[in-house]
Amino acid sequence: MPIPAPNLYPPFNIVRLSHVELIVTDLAKSRAFYVDMLGLQVTDEDSEAIYLRAMEERGHHCIVLRKGTEPRARDLGFKLFDDDDLDKAEAFFRAKGLPVDWVDRPFQSRSFRTRDPHGTPLEFYVKMDRLPPIHQQYALYRGVKPLRIDHFNCFSPNVDESVAFYNEIGFRVTEYTEDEESGHLWAAWTHRKGGVHDMAFTNGTGPRLHHTAFWVPTPLNIIDLLDLMSTTGWVDNIERGPGRHGISNAFFLYIRDPDGHRIEIYCSDYQTVDPDLEPIKWDLKDPQRQTLWGAPAPKSWFEEGSLFEGQEPVPAQLKAQPIIAP
Amino acid sequence: MPIPAPNLYPPFNIVRLSHVELIVTDLAKSRAFYVDMLGLQVTDEDSEAIYLRAMEERGHHCIVLRKGTEPRARDLGFKLFDDDDLDKAEAFFRAKGLPVDWVDRPFQSRSFRTRDPHGTPLEFYVKMDRLPPIHQQYALYRGVKPLRIDHFNCFSPNVDESVAFYNEIGFRVTEYTEDEESGHLWAAWTHRKGGVHDMAFTNGTGPRLHHTAFWVPTPLNIIDLLDLMSTTGWVDNIERGPGRHGISNAFFLYIRDPDGHRIEIYCSDYQTVDPDLEPIKWDLKDPQRQTLWGAPAPKSWFEEGSLFEGQEPVPAQLKAQPIIAP
Amino acid sequence: MPIPAPNLYPPFNIVRLSHVELIVTDLAKSRAFYVDMLGLQVTDEDSEAIYLRAMEERGHHCIVLRKGTEPRARDLGFKLFDDDDLDKAEAFFRAKGLPVDWVDRPFQSRSFRTRDPHGTPLEFYVKMDRLPPIHQQYALYRGVKPLRIDHFNCFSPNVDESVAFYNEIGFRVTEYTEDEESGHLWAAWTHRKGGVHDMAFTNGTGPRLHHTAFWVPTPLNIIDLLDLMSTTGWVDNIERGPGRHGISNAFFLYIRDPDGHRIEIYCSDYQTVDPDLEPIKWDLKDPQRQTLWGAPAPKSWFEEGSLFEGQEPVPAQLKAQPIIAP
Amino acid sequence: MPIPAPNLYPPFNIVRLSHVELIVTDLAKSRAFYVDMLGLQVTDEDSEAIYLRAMEERGHHCIVLRKGTEPRARDLGFKLFDDDDLDKAEAFFRAKGLPVDWVDRPFQSRSFRTRDPHGTPLEFYVKMDRLPPIHQQYALYRGVKPLRIDHFNCFSPNVDESVAFYNEIGFRVTEYTEDEESGHLWAAWTHRKGGVHDMAFTNGTGPRLHHTAFWVPTPLNIIDLLDLMSTTGWVDNIERGPGRHGISNAFFLYIRDPDGHRIEIYCSDYQTVDPDLEPIKWDLKDPQRQTLWGAPAPKSWFEEGSLFEGQEPVPAQLKAQPIIAP
Ligand SMILES: [Ca+2]
Ligand SMILES: [Fe+2]
Ligand SMILES: [Fe+2]
Ligand SMILES: [Fe+2]
Ligand SMILES: [Fe+2]
């Protein structure tokens, strides 16, 4: 097995993925996508940025849309358990020689930015403004009825290295794809919060953000979204799906926002809190790996992703090819 | 509009499509497909044939699987309203110079076989053995939970001619696809029973049976079927979907039986009983015609179909090309 | 069997139930209920009346809300097949000594009002203004996503008599409840359009309108409606359900509008176009008759209904008691 | 707020609830209920006991049915994170003067039994035999498609005391019901694994086991179960629901096994991993507390529960009355 034993006592305690800031070129168009169509709730907005949360979230934001000239992803945000964890995290990254910048983030308490070894920008914090629950205000539900942010998926130029690093800080591998020939990892799914993943890695030119995923109630909500997108001018923004993933067993749909940032709609994976949960291995050549029902992903899905601000990606070291739709 | 005014007072009263006999080369394998996987109920079987019904049907059979050396479709069966209608139907076909053969069909009363002008084999009858209801025996529901046969779709070498003929015998057009350039029909959906169709026609080498469709309760049953097929050895029998049709607005999946006979799983179209219901026109080049969500059908969907026993098909006269998946 | 043989060749051809006018005391409040909450579409409105249609309907209206001082139901509207049928219908009612009043109905062509033998007000017409399809404008779907009007249910002081009369004009019984002791009908479901019913009768002080039902896509839409009603001030308007009917096998919910008019949300019954469809008999004392899952209906459901304008109801002749929730 | 601050650093680390053993009087009848009807998978069985797991569980068992003369619940089983936690747990219970019995449990490594201060029997362990995944063997899914055990709910004679104790060992309160008059807790929901609860407490004669809950994919699976139970002889075992809980926002159904042990079918609550998640307070007199849609629970739901083996319950100290169905 090419994956490391889980680190059950990591140097600091990450609760879950939390939020990401996306640079978008047309705030109004992005608002139409994320708010009017997808159904996220605006928690703050001005001429430069829109803060959004999903229906069961009480933290202030899971997506920040910020106006800019080039579409970019900024830091992947993670919530830590405790103030001590924030200090321990700082020490950890400094000890690795990775940059630590304490930043002032609206609606958050003490936060710092850093990078993983491939240059992926990360942000850690403990407290974010808490908002009143709205999960039982059913009149507010719209679009796909997004409940919460579920995970990030990143292109990594070396998935073995990514897994080694994130494993060290406590992310536990739930499923992974191996290239049988080389014995290298082609993709991996790793979690903190007890689902299949908070963070996944896909072999490819990276670091780049492959997608950000939202959890929705049932597959029928995804069908409703497809019907809505298809009849409100968003049909070309549907990229892949719907389908059942082999990996994670989740029901999925991939769509692209007006700047090409990829959003996954996702539901129905499984609980992973057991520390002795055995990772599930998939072969890269297994056609049911991507989609249990056998449909391959399109070329764009393997090639396109959001650049991280201020980080040039490098080509993947592993050249193994997945199955791509003709 | 290239379609004729509906004939509201046809020469005889067809209630609905009823059944079809499929010649299959391996009865056991077909039983595994239709009964164990799809969930149809066996109402009679011996070494030569298996009779099947769906969960809300009280007639004896909607599909007959008959052992043979070559996969073929036999007559498309239609239920008439009354014994008088059967005599009127006979007179109608004889007057057209079309063959009428009175046949002895198990579990059916007086039945005759005939042909439409393109040679499509048809069977008409009034009474079929009635069985006790099983629609509330929920322990019997399996697979996709098929409720009833919904429609036939046939390749026609000349859809204008097909529509003209079936319109004359009372089939009412609900939706149709026009080739803008030639002004000819490329496809049409026609009904008797008050749904979008009992009988549809697709331009192509014909006559051939394109597919037979079954109505199921909800899109979730189709997702369940996909999960089941994908994990019980039937993944390669999934041909197209799931998706929402532009035409008919129904949710669909196309699968192939062990001999390649195509079965559609279908739900959620609309009621069409109004005699003044306006047909909906679609352009052949509209990518949302086939699938509202934009995904094109694969090449096999446009080219492959079941031969009717004893009928050589001829190429379509209209050469217009639909949008085909790469 | 206490029900008559179906009259397959009735004196005139009723296509389906079509619409009803409800007198409501506060038009704004009723609009909030039917439009904002339930999701019907306004097709016309002024200070006196609101016309509504459901999502797949192309006729102008299925419900008319008219301002008045007392909540009342007015004529139950039925669409006839052809202009000849309208004349034949007039002749039929006149021959029975029932009143025929030709009326000028907005958005409808020639229409007449009449009464059934118990005094239930009826309206017949052939053509109603046709509107462009909106069933694929998914941005308009709201609330329970009502697709079409499905049926009326009326309190009848003598269900045997009601069935005899409606059978004569072509309504076919699909299911019925017998009082075993007396051998009389306690309730019956009768159809024209090929579903379980266009018109049902329940033993009770009548004639009164028990409820008007709307067809929705799936049981999940009914659950969505319950969540919405419960959190937008309508929780007290939920009367009974959700549940699966024993009779009709449909999934249901009963709610009350601001004036107490009862609306059923309904889906998943079965196709009934076969002229030889055998009616299903239920015993009044069968606890699964009302709700397959065993829950009895509340007292209000058996006792309350909308008065028809200008018609005093009389007590039911049959005194048999159904099972009522404590 | 009558609830204590969460103990984020408890004396030992409980991962989640794990399993319970139920004493049943007729093993074959219980097998029909849990396996044939509900859809749990048998992982071991002999003439004395049946071990069951749900579809996504890889641990050997979540329910053990053991033959006995009187229906009883035995220890509530919890999985600990690490072997050290097991020793720390032992020390904790001994220090409280609570009994610790190391027991030999089939399919589990080192396990001990103890009691909470009210006498509720508890079992702690770290490792259970791990079985191959079956969550993608869709041919095995049956009944309600149970995915995993979700929570226990216990009658407590003093909910304030129960919450204080479980809070001390790290259970975090997510929602609670207060009796406004006395200021005492009437019920509370507490979790370890990141859902609304692993363990809930209801005011009543206790300790007794109120119910054990299973997580299922969607509300439609609960509707399927109701249809199945209603038509396979289990209709009288339906106790309450279906409905949406006010508390937890989950969709639910309560059923009773052949010995009266109560099982909840449950889905769609929310993620609770944030250590700063604010508990939600409900008033005992709020009719939407139990069921968002307003339906009160029946008397049996408030009064009946499973006795724990070897533990006489005592009456609740708090006499406040919930809303009970007439
Ligand atoms: Ca229908
Ligand atoms: Fe993903
Ligand atoms: Fe079709
Ligand atoms: Fe009804
Ligand atoms: Fe519970």
Side-chain angles (χ1 to χ4, degrees):
Chain A
M1 187 160 69
I3 58 162
N7 181 7
L8 298 179
Y9 295 94
F12 55 97
N13 187 351
I14 300 171
V15 175
R16 60 172 175 90
L17 94 156
S18 160
H19 62 277
V20 65
E21 189 167 311
L22 299 175
I23 300 181
V24 299
T25 56
D26 181 335
L27 215 44
K29 214 163 165 180
S30 294
R31 195 185 199 283
F33 180 89
Y34 287 99
V35 177
D36 301 337
M37 189 268 288
L38 209 53
L40 290 166
Q41 300 289 314
V42 175
T43 58
D44 197 81
E45 66 181 320
D46 59 25
S47 61
E48 295 306 306
I50 302 174
Y51 289 79
L52 302 170
R53 71 160 156 163
M55 301 308 297
E56 74 170 50
E57 293 175 330
R58 303 201 206 153
H60 184 274
H61 51 267
C62 61
I63 292 269
V64 184
L65 305 172
R66 187 166 300 279
K67 204 180 162 179
T69 52
E70 299 287 341
R72 289 289 180 278
R74 298 183 78 198
D75 318 61
L76 305 180
F78 293 88
K79 181 179 176 73
L80 299 185
F81 193 76
D82 192 300
D83 262 325
D84 278 357
D85 292 303
L86 197 59
D87 298 324
K88 289 177 190 163
E90 177 186 20
F92 174 86
F93 282 94
R94 287 202 193 280
K96 291 274 181 195
L98 293 163
V100 171
D101 298 307
W102 290 95
V103 285
D104 198 38
R105 302 291 280 148
F107 313 108
Q108 294 173 209
S109 68
R110 284 203 307 149
S111 306
F112 74 81
R113 302 181 64 186
T114 183
R115 300 261 164 179
D116 78 8
H118 290 140
T120 311
L122 306 175
E123 182 183 299
F124 293 97
Y125 78 98
V126 175
K127 297 269 180 196
M128 183 185 278
D129 284 4
R130 305 289 293 181
L131 301 178
I134 51 171
H135 64 285
Q136 291 186 322
Q137 294 189 29
Y138 282 101
L140 297 181
Y141 281 77
R142 272 197 318 273
V144 77
K145 303 189 177 175
L147 295 181
R148 56 180 183 264
I149 194 169
D150 189 83
H151 63 264
F152 299 126
N153 188 317
C154 291
F155 277 123
S156 165
N158 185 317
V159 176
D160 291 304
E161 288 173 6
S162 293
V163 166
F165 179 77
Y166 285 87
N167 191 73
E168 188 176 353
I169 58 174
F171 287 78
R172 278 140 59 177
V173 176
T174 53
E175 308 207 16
Y176 62 99
T177 301
E178 195 180 288
D179 171 42
E180 294 273 304
E181 276 178 55
S182 65
H184 284 298
L185 286 174
W186 195 87
W189 286 255
T190 75
H191 86 96
R192 286 297 303 165
K193 70 179 175 300
V196 170
H197 50 323
D198 290 77
M199 186 78 168
F201 307 98
T202 298
N203 187 68
T205 299
R208 288 180 299 158
L209 179 59
H210 189 278
H211 64 262
T212 303
F214 289 91
W215 183 274
V216 297
T218 77
L220 276 184
N221 301 103
I222 294 181
I223 292 166
D224 286 345
L225 182 71
L226 282 156
D227 291 336
L228 183 67
M229 291 184 71
S230 299
T231 54
T232 53
W234 295 107
V235 70
D236 294 335
N237 296 59
I238 300 169
E239 185 184 32
R240 176 187 166 201
R244 167 90 56 204
H245 283 305
I247 290 165
S248 82
N249 201 39
F251 196 83
F252 72 87
L253 174 72
Y254 293 94
I255 58 178
R256 305 294 289 270
D257 88 356
D259 288 289
H261 296 302
R262 185 181 288 107
I263 297 294
E264 183 180 13
I265 312 300
Y266 181 94
C267 65
S268 304
D269 70 4
Y270 55 89
Q271 184 182 289
T272 63
V273 293
D274 288 4
D276 50 358
L277 186 84
E278 304 81 354
I280 296 174
K281 173 182 162 178
W282 295 81
D283 180 18
L284 182 57
K285 297 303 179 200
D286 182 344
Q288 295 190 269
R289 186 189 75 89
Q290 304 171 18
T291 309
L292 191 67
W293 308 338
K299 209 168 172 228
S300 63
W301 198 87
F302 292 105
E303 299 190 347
E304 299 173 13
S306 301
L307 292 173
F308 284 114
E309 192 186 42
Q311 181 67 39
E312 274 304 299
V314 298
Q317 289 160 26
L318 179 60
K319 300 303 173 195
Q321 277 300 315
I323 301 168
I324 301 175
Chain B
M1 189 160 68
I3 58 163
N7 181 7
L8 299 179
Y9 295 94
F12 54 97
N13 187 352
I14 300 172
V15 175
R16 59 174 175 90
L17 94 155
S18 161
H19 62 277
V20 65
E21 189 166 310
L22 299 174
I23 299 180
V24 300
T25 56
D26 181 335
L27 214 45
K29 215 164 165 179
S30 294
R31 196 185 199 282
F33 180 89
Y34 288 98
V35 178
D36 302 336
M37 189 268 287
L38 209 54
L40 290 165
Q41 301 289 314
V42 175
T43 58
D44 197 82
E45 67 182 319
D46 59 24
S47 61
E48 296 305 304
I50 302 174
Y51 289 79
L52 302 170
R53 71 161 157 164
M55 301 308 299
E56 74 170 51
E57 292 174 331
R58 303 200 208 156
H60 183 273
H61 51 267
C62 61
I63 292 270
V64 184
L65 304 173
R66 187 167 299 280
K67 204 179 160 179
T69 53
E70 298 287 339
R72 288 290 180 277
R74 298 183 78 199
D75 320 62
L76 306 180
F78 294 88
K79 181 180 176 71
L80 300 184
F81 193 75
D82 193 298
D83 261 324
D84 278 358
D85 292 304
L86 197 59
D87 298 323
K88 289 177 190 165
E90 177 187 20
F92 174 86
F93 282 93
R94 288 202 193 281
K96 289 275 181 195
L98 294 164
V100 171
D101 299 307
W102 289 95
V103 286
D104 197 40
R105 302 291 280 148
F107 314 108
Q108 295 172 208
S109 67
R110 284 204 309 149
S111 307
F112 74 81
R113 302 182 63 187
T114 183
R115 300 260 164 178
D116 78 8
H118 290 139
T120 310
L122 307 175
E123 181 182 298
F124 293 97
Y125 78 99
V126 176
K127 297 269 181 196
M128 182 185 280
D129 284 4
R130 305 289 295 180
L131 301 178
I134 51 171
H135 64 286
Q136 291 185 323
Q137 293 189 30
Y138 283 101
L140 296 181
Y141 281 76
R142 273 197 316 273
V144 77
K145 303 187 177 177
L147 296 180
R148 58 180 182 264
I149 195 170
D150 190 81
H151 62 264
F152 300 126
N153 188 317
C154 291
F155 277 122
S156 166
N158 186 317
V159 177
D160 292 304
E161 288 172 7
S162 293
V163 166
F165 179 78
Y166 285 87
N167 190 74
E168 188 176 354
I169 58 174
F171 287 79
R172 280 141 58 179
V173 176
T174 53
E175 309 208 16
Y176 63 98
T177 301
E178 196 181 288
D179 172 42
E180 295 274 303
E181 276 177 55
S182 65
H184 284 298
L185 285 174
W186 195 88
W189 286 255
T190 74
H191 85 95
R192 285 297 303 163
K193 70 178 176 300
V196 170
H197 49 324
D198 290 77
M199 186 78 167
F201 307 98
T202 298
N203 187 67
T205 299
R208 286 181 299 158
L209 179 58
H210 189 277
H211 64 262
T212 303
F214 288 91
W215 182 274
V216 297
T218 77
L220 276 184
N221 301 103
I222 294 181
I223 292 165
D224 286 344
L225 182 71
L226 282 156
D227 291 336
L228 183 68
M229 291 184 71
S230 300
T231 55
T232 53
W234 296 107
V235 70
D236 294 334
N237 296 59
I238 300 169
E239 185 184 33
R240 176 186 166 201
R244 168 90 57 204
H245 282 305
I247 291 164
S248 82
N249 200 39
F251 196 83
F252 72 87
L253 173 72
Y254 293 96
I255 59 180
R256 305 295 288 273
D257 87 356
D259 287 288
H261 296 303
R262 186 181 287 108
I263 298 294
E264 182 181 13
I265 313 301
Y266 181 94
C267 65
S268 302
D269 69 5
Y270 55 89
Q271 184 182 289
T272 63
V273 292
D274 289 3
D276 50 358
L277 186 83
E278 303 83 354
I280 296 175
K281 173 181 162 179
W282 295 82
D283 180 18
L284 183 57
K285 297 301 180 202
D286 182 344
Q288 295 190 269
R289 186 189 75 88
Q290 304 172 16
T291 309
L292 191 67
W293 309 337
K299 208 166 171 233
S300 63
W301 199 88
F302 292 105
E303 300 191 346
E304 299 173 14
S306 301
L307 292 173
F308 285 114
E309 193 186 40
Q311 182 66 40
E312 273 305 297
V314 298
Q317 289 160 26
L318 179 60
K319 300 303 173 194
Q321 276 302 313
I323 300 168
I324 300 175
Chain C
M1 188 160 67
I3 57 163
N7 181 7
L8 299 179
Y9 295 94
F12 54 97
N13 187 350
I14 300 172
V15 175
R16 60 173 175 90
L17 94 155
S18 161
H19 62 277
V20 64
E21 190 167 309
L22 299 175
I23 300 181
V24 299
T25 56
D26 182 335
L27 214 45
K29 215 165 166 179
S30 294
R31 195 185 200 282
F33 180 89
Y34 287 99
V35 178
D36 302 337
M37 189 268 288
L38 209 53
L40 291 165
Q41 300 289 313
V42 175
T43 57
D44 197 81
E45 67 182 319
D46 60 24
S47 61
E48 295 306 305
I50 302 175
Y51 289 78
L52 302 170
R53 71 160 157 165
M55 302 308 299
E56 74 170 52
E57 293 175 330
R58 303 199 207 155
H60 183 273
H61 50 267
C62 60
I63 293 271
V64 184
L65 305 173
R66 187 166 300 280
K67 206 181 160 177
T69 52
E70 299 288 338
R72 289 290 181 275
R74 299 183 77 200
D75 319 62
L76 306 180
F78 293 88
K79 180 179 176 73
L80 299 185
F81 193 75
D82 194 299
D83 260 326
D84 277 358
D85 292 305
L86 197 60
D87 299 323
K88 290 175 189 165
E90 177 187 19
F92 173 86
F93 282 93
R94 288 203 192 280
K96 290 273 181 196
L98 293 164
V100 171
D101 300 306
W102 289 95
V103 285
D104 198 39
R105 302 292 280 149
F107 314 108
Q108 294 172 207
S109 67
R110 285 202 308 149
S111 307
F112 73 81
R113 301 181 65 185
T114 183
R115 300 260 164 178
D116 77 9
H118 291 140
T120 311
L122 306 175
E123 181 182 299
F124 293 96
Y125 78 99
V126 176
K127 297 269 181 196
M128 182 185 279
D129 284 4
R130 305 289 295 180
L131 300 178
I134 51 171
H135 64 285
Q136 291 186 321
Q137 293 188 29
Y138 282 101
L140 298 180
Y141 280 77
R142 272 197 318 272
V144 77
K145 303 188 176 177
L147 295 181
R148 57 179 183 264
I149 194 169
D150 190 82
H151 62 264
F152 300 125
N153 188 317
C154 292
F155 277 123
S156 165
N158 185 317
V159 176
D160 291 305
E161 287 173 7
S162 293
V163 166
F165 178 78
Y166 284 87
N167 191 73
E168 188 176 353
I169 57 174
F171 287 78
R172 279 140 58 178
V173 176
T174 53
E175 308 208 15
Y176 63 98
T177 301
E178 195 181 287
D179 171 43
E180 296 273 304
E181 277 177 54
S182 66
H184 285 297
L185 286 174
W186 195 88
W189 287 255
T190 75
H191 85 96
R192 285 297 303 164
K193 70 179 176 300
V196 170
H197 49 324
D198 290 76
M199 186 79 166
F201 308 97
T202 298
N203 187 68
T205 299
R208 287 181 298 158
L209 178 59
H210 189 277
H211 64 262
T212 303
F214 288 91
W215 183 274
V216 298
T218 77
L220 276 184
N221 300 103
I222 293 181
I223 292 166
D224 286 344
L225 183 71
L226 282 156
D227 291 335
L228 182 68
M229 291 184 71
S230 299
T231 55
T232 53
W234 296 107
V235 71
D236 293 336
N237 296 59
I238 301 169
E239 184 184 34
R240 175 186 166 202
R244 167 90 56 203
H245 283 306
I247 291 165
S248 81
N249 201 38
F251 196 83
F252 72 87
L253 174 72
Y254 294 95
I255 59 179
R256 305 295 288 271
D257 88 356
D259 288 288
H261 296 303
R262 185 181 289 108
I263 298 293
E264 182 180 13
I265 313 299
Y266 181 94
C267 65
S268 303
D269 70 6
Y270 55 90
Q271 184 182 288
T272 63
V273 292
D274 288 4
D276 50 358
L277 186 84
E278 303 82 353
I280 296 174
K281 173 182 163 178
W282 295 82
D283 179 18
L284 183 57
K285 297 302 181 203
D286 182 343
Q288 295 190 270
R289 186 189 74 89
Q290 305 172 16
T291 308
L292 191 68
W293 309 337
K299 208 166 171 230
S300 64
W301 197 88
F302 292 104
E303 299 190 347
E304 300 172 13
S306 301
L307 293 173
F308 285 114
E309 192 186 40
Q311 181 67 39
E312 272 305 298
V314 298
Q317 288 160 26
L318 179 61
K319 299 303 173 197
Q321 276 301 313
I323 300 168
I324 300 175
Chain D
M1 188 161 68
I3 60 163
N7 181 7
L8 299 180
Y9 295 95
F12 54 98
N13 186 351
I14 299 171
V15 175
R16 60 173 175 89
L17 93 156
S18 160
H19 62 277
V20 64
E21 189 167 310
L22 299 175
I23 300 180
V24 300
T25 56
D26 182 335
L27 215 43
K29 216 165 166 181
S30 294
R31 196 185 199 282
F33 180 89
Y34 287 98
V35 178
D36 302 336
M37 187 269 287
L38 208 54
L40 290 165
Q41 300 290 314
V42 175
T43 58
D44 197 82
E45 66 182 319
D46 60 24
S47 62
E48 295 306 304
I50 302 174
Y51 290 79
L52 302 170
R53 71 162 157 163
M55 301 308 298
E56 74 170 51
E57 292 174 330
R58 302 200 208 155
H60 183 273
H61 51 267
C62 61
I63 292 270
V64 184
L65 304 173
R66 187 167 299 280
K67 204 180 161 179
T69 51
E70 298 288 340
R72 289 289 181 277
R74 298 183 78 199
D75 318 60
L76 306 180
F78 293 89
K79 181 179 176 70
L80 300 186
F81 193 76
D82 193 300
D83 261 324
D84 277 357
D85 292 304
L86 197 60
D87 298 323
K88 288 176 190 164
E90 177 187 20
F92 174 86
F93 282 93
R94 287 202 192 281
K96 290 274 180 196
L98 293 163
V100 171
D101 298 307
W102 290 96
V103 286
D104 198 39
R105 302 292 278 148
F107 313 108
Q108 293 173 208
S109 68
R110 284 203 308 150
S111 307
F112 74 80
R113 301 181 65 186
T114 182
R115 301 260 164 180
D116 79 7
H118 290 138
T120 312
L122 307 175
E123 181 182 299
F124 293 97
Y125 78 98
V126 176
K127 297 269 181 195
M128 182 185 279
D129 285 4
R130 306 288 294 179
L131 301 178
I134 51 171
H135 64 285
Q136 291 186 321
Q137 293 189 30
Y138 283 101
L140 297 181
Y141 281 76
R142 274 197 317 273
V144 77
K145 303 188 177 176
L147 295 182
R148 56 180 183 263
I149 194 169
D150 190 82
H151 62 265
F152 299 126
N153 188 317
C154 292
F155 278 123
S156 166
N158 185 317
V159 177
D160 291 305
E161 288 173 5
S162 292
V163 166
F165 179 77
Y166 285 87
N167 191 72
E168 188 176 352
I169 58 174
F171 287 79
R172 279 140 59 178
V173 176
T174 53
E175 309 208 16
Y176 62 99
T177 301
E178 196 181 287
D179 171 42
E180 295 274 303
E181 276 178 55
S182 66
H184 284 298
L185 285 173
W186 195 87
W189 287 256
T190 75
H191 86 97
R192 285 298 303 164
K193 70 180 176 299
V196 170
H197 49 324
D198 289 78
M199 185 79 169
F201 307 98
T202 299
N203 186 68
T205 299
R208 287 180 299 157
L209 179 59
H210 190 277
H211 64 262
T212 304
F214 289 91
W215 183 274
V216 296
T218 77
L220 276 185
N221 300 103
I222 294 181
I223 291 166
D224 286 344
L225 183 70
L226 283 155
D227 291 336
L228 182 68
M229 291 184 70
S230 299
T231 55
T232 53
W234 296 107
V235 70
D236 293 335
N237 296 59
I238 300 169
E239 185 183 33
R240 176 186 166 202
R244 168 89 57 203
H245 283 305
I247 291 164
S248 82
N249 200 39
F251 196 84
F252 72 87
L253 173 73
Y254 293 95
I255 59 179
R256 305 295 288 270
D257 88 357
D259 288 288
H261 296 302
R262 186 181 287 107
I263 299 293
E264 182 181 14
I265 313 299
Y266 181 94
C267 65
S268 303
D269 71 5
Y270 55 88
Q271 184 181 288
T272 63
V273 293
D274 289 3
D276 50 357
L277 186 85
E278 303 83 353
I280 296 174
K281 174 181 162 178
W282 295 81
D283 180 18
L284 183 56
K285 298 301 179 203
D286 182 344
Q288 295 189 268
R289 185 189 76 89
Q290 304 171 17
T291 308
L292 191 68
W293 309 338
K299 209 166 171 231
S300 63
W301 198 88
F302 292 104
E303 299 190 347
E304 298 173 13
S306 301
L307 292 173
F308 285 115
E309 191 186 41
Q311 182 66 40
E312 273 304 297
V314 298
Q317 288 161 26
L318 179 60
K319 299 302 172 195
Q321 276 300 316
I323 301 167
I324 300 175

